[in-house]
Structure formats: C-alpha cells, structure tokens
Amino acid sequence: MTSSSAPHVSDAPHPQRPAHRVSPAVRLGAAAWIVAAVQFLVVQVVVASAWRTPFSWATNNVSDLGNVHCRTWDASRPRYVCSPLHDVMNASFVLHGALLLLGTVATAACWGRGRLSAGARILFALNAAGWVLVGFVPADVDENLHVLGALLIMGLGNLGLLCAGFVPVGSPFGRLRAVTLTLAAAAVLAAWSFFGQHDPGTGLGVLERMAAFAVDAWIVVSGLAALRARRADVAGGPRPSVRRD
C-alpha cells in the first residue's frame, strides 16, 4: 500500500532565489538615490571652491552656485555672486532631480500601500521636478520660475517627506518612521524660517540647506535600508515554495 503526503508550504528559501535579495528594481532605485545625494554634495564643494570671492555656506544660497552672471544679486540680501563653474552646478541640479525620480519610481515596493504612500511618492516626484527646473532655469535668468522650483523642493518635497513618515509600518520605509518624521519636522521649520527671512543666527543659507537637503538625508538612509531589506519585506516578494515529501 502506498501513500503520499499532501504538499505543504515550506518557509525555507529556494536555493536559487535567496530570500534576502530584493528585486533588481529596488536595488537600482536605492543606488540611484545614494548616487544622487553623493554627487550633489561633491559637486557643491567643487563648485564653491572655484569661487574667487569667498563662498559662505552660512549666507550664500545653494542657487548662487548656479547663477550664470557675475554681479551683485538679490535685493532682499544683496551679495556679490560669481560662480565660474555654474554650468557644472546646474547639470548637477538636473542629474539630482532625474536620479531622485528614478529612485522614487524604482523603490515602489518599499513604500507600502495606501493613499499616503501614493501621495508621498507623487510629492517626491514633484520635488524631483523642482530640482530639474532650478537646473535649467538659474535664479538670475528667470527668478520666478526658479522660485517655483524652490517651492516644489522645499514646499511639496517636505510635505512628501512628512507623508512618508506615515506609510505602513510593515514596509521598509515605514520602519524608518522616527527618522523620517524628525527630518520632516526640521525641514518644515527651516523652510518656514527661510522663506519668512527669520534668521535665528545660523544664517539663511544654513536654513535653506536644512529645508532643501532633508530629503537628501532621507534618501541616503532609506536607500541603505532598501538595499538591506529582505525580499519578503517588500511588496511583490517571492511566494513561499511548495515542497512534496
């Protein structure tokens, strides 16, 4: 007499599909985010070092690095701006936005489901568009369009960061809730202070960087978290394997 046991679900990972590996799309998106933040920081340092007049990280705006003319600039805070490598900075702005968008799309599985997750990703995409806009339209070429880009970055981008703080806790990015909300709160406060010209003594340039770069800090942390996540932790992970005894 022969008997056969019913197939049952095994929790053991398939030998050819390691459970700890996330999808190639997620790895691509995470890498894009990390590269976006690193290249952006490095280019700022290089472009600032090329200034013949001192560049102040405390008082100069990030946009000053991309201004195409050498002249006294900004009626509200007059300062002489002359950035010899402005083309390099503006190219970095555009690349930054493109990589941010790529990362936002490719890491879709790490955000969890729900309206807040979808809303956060849309706002991150608009933030990315803002960086592309400020790269193509320097502040001393068309200030109105440049300011629109800045609002997309420091307004909608930080609102997206706030929404990201409430994505499902079970998702890889949801586990970063404390870090996300801390960065979002600091960014929103800094943006309000910067646009309102309320300098607490740090310099408006510092406030602008806090407001504009909070998302960059988050994408580095989140990119590393996505690279370390297991396939089962993200949506679309492998189904349990079936084993027959």
Side-chain angles (χ1 to χ4, degrees), residues 184-209:
V188 170
L189 178 60
W192 174 82
S193 299
F194 174 74
F195 285 116
Q197 303 281 294
H198 304 302
D199 183 2
T202 60
L204 290 176
V206 172
L207 291 175
E208 184 197 35
R209 286 166 177 80

Side-chain angles (χ1 to χ4, degrees), residues 78-160:
R79 57 194 182 276
Y80 183 72
V81 172
C82 187
S83 184
L85 299 181
H86 57 267
D87 286 339
V88 176
M89 190 69 251
N90 289 324
S92 179
F93 284 143
V94 174
L95 178 60
H96 187 56
L99 291 173
L100 280 172
L101 180 59
L102 173 59
T104 300
V105 173
T107 60
C110 294
W111 294 78
R113 296 186 174 89
R115 293 181 179 179
L116 278 176
S117 298
R121 293 173 61 209
I122 291 171
L123 291 169
F124 265 60
L126 292 172
N127 170 65
W131 285 113
V132 174
L133 180 59
V134 300
F136 277 118
V137 186
D140 61 344
V141 172
D142 189 325
E143 187 174 10
N144 290 332
L145 278 179
H146 193 87
V147 169
L148 173 60
L151 289 173
L152 291 175
I153 294 166
M154 292 185 277
L156 296 186
N158 289 331
L159 180 59

Side-chain angles (χ1 to χ4, degrees), residues 161-162 165 176-189 210 214 218:
L161 188 59
L162 184 62
L176 303 173
R177 177 166 293 181
V179 173
T180 305
L181 291 178
T182 299
L183 287 171
V188 170
L189 178 60
M210 289 176 61
W218 186 84

